[in-house]
């Protein structure tokens, strides 16, 4: 079962404990993220490496039923099956990562080098998304967001994006989303899934623009 589907039971329990107005609010999962853009020696971008730290509630739910050798801690090996389930589930959502090179949409292959770690009671998912075809462009735009705004992605305040192996002269700009929580709370669950607001999450995209000479 995918980690988004697996969360549905938790959301149902949470909804029963909340007032009707609060239960309709979005998002339901919060992720604090960092990203590394990976360059080849010839200056082409080969992919992006993500690290996504989940909120306390989701982390607690995700590790329910898992038994570690030491109580309250989980090794990378013990979390490996959950990590695999997570990355397999991400495919349906295009890994919440969208790329354009000089205005042309680019696609990613399936994640590699993925793993979960558990520290200070929260889970962090690490994975690398290789581009189907490495791109060498004057401008590359990467956006990280959930179209339905079920998940809220926030880039970390400190070193949110790193360029790994980038040619000299490349510049990076990060545009963070504005806080639209108030607007989101006015929309119920069905509104997010259908109609003109089905892509509501675009308002909350983290936009990374890379310009290279």
């Amino acid at each position: 079962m995918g980690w988004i589907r697996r969360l549905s039971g938790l959301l149902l329990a949470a909804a029963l404990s909340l007032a009707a107005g609060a239960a309709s609010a979005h998002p339901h999962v919060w992720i604090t993220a960092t990203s590394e853009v990976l360059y080849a020696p010839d200056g082409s971008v080969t992919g992006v490496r993500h690290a996504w730290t989940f909120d306390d509630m989701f982390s607690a739910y995700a590790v329910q039923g898992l038994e570690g050798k030491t109580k309250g801690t989980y090794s990378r090996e013990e979390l490996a099956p959950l990590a695999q389930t997570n990355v397999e589930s991400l495919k349906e959502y295009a890994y919440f990562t969208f790329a354009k090179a000089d205005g042309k949409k680019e696609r990613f292959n399936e994640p590699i080098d993925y793993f979960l770690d558990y520290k200070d009671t929260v889970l962090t998912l690490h994975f690398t998304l290789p581009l189907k075809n490495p791109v060498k462009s004057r401008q590359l735009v990467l956006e990280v967001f959930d179209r339905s705004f079920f998940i809220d992605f926030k880039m970390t305040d400190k070193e949110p994006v790193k360029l790994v192996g980038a040619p000299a002269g490349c510049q990076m700009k990060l545009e963070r989303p504005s806080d639209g929580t108030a607007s989101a709370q006015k929309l119920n669950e069905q509104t997010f899934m259908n109609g003109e607001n089905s892509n509501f999450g675009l308002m909350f995209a983290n936009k990374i623009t890379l310009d290279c000479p």
Side-chain angles (χ1 to χ4, degrees), residues 16 68 125 133 176:
L16 292 175
L125 176 65
N133 299 295
R176 299 176 184 270

Side-chain angles (χ1 to χ4, degrees), residues 8-193:
S8 61
L10 176 65
L11 294 179
L12 177 60
L16 292 175
S17 66
L18 295 172
S24 66
H26 273 63
H28 296 302
V29 182
W30 289 263
I31 289 177
T32 303
T34 62
S35 298
E36 296 180 341
V37 183
L38 310 177
Y39 287 80
D42 68 353
S44 61
V45 176
T46 61
V48 58
R49 184 185 297 128
H50 289 308
W52 293 351
T53 299
F54 298 97
D55 63 83
D56 293 348
M57 180 179 287
F58 179 83
S59 295
Y61 178 75
V63 298
Q64 277 187 352
L66 292 180
E67 294 186 4
K69 291 183 179 179
T70 304
K71 185 177 181 181
T73 64
Y74 305 94
S75 68
R76 187 179 301 187
E77 291 73 23
E78 290 165 339
L79 292 169
L82 181 59
Q84 181 177 351
T85 299
N86 285 1
V87 295
E88 289 176 352
S89 302
L90 289 173
K91 185 175 182 178
E92 182 179 350
Y93 305 93
Y95 310 106
F96 301 116
T97 306
F98 308 90
K100 285 186 178 181
D102 292 334
K104 178 185 175 183
K105 289 184 179 180
E106 301 292 338
R107 298 187 181 278
F108 293 97
N109 284 322
E110 295 183 358
I112 60 173
D113 302 331
Y114 56 82
F115 65 93
L116 276 167
D117 64 33
Y118 184 81
K119 183 179 180 181
D120 298 330
T121 72
V122 293
L123 285 167
T124 300
L125 176 65
H126 304 260
F127 65 101
T128 298
L129 276 178
L131 282 164
K132 285 186 177 293
N133 299 295
V135 295
K136 196 173 185 180
S137 58
R138 293 187 63 84
Q139 185 177 85
L140 179 69
V141 176
L142 294 168
E143 292 182 298
V144 178
F145 69 101
D146 176 14
R147 294 184 187 278
S148 68
F149 199 44
F150 184 92
I151 300 171
D152 178 28
F153 288 90
K154 178 185 176 182
M155 304 299 292
T156 58
D157 294 329
K158 184 179 180 180
E159 295 186 302
V161 182
K162 294 181 181 179
L163 308 186
V164 180
C170 287
Q171 296 183 343
M172 185 276 295
K173 180 177 70 173
L174 171 63
E175 295 178 53
R176 299 176 184 270
S178 59
D179 184 1
T181 304
S183 297
Q185 288 178 341
K186 295 177 182 179
L187 305 177
N188 61 29
E189 198 80 28
Q190 195 61 33
T191 306
F192 278 89
M193 303 309 297

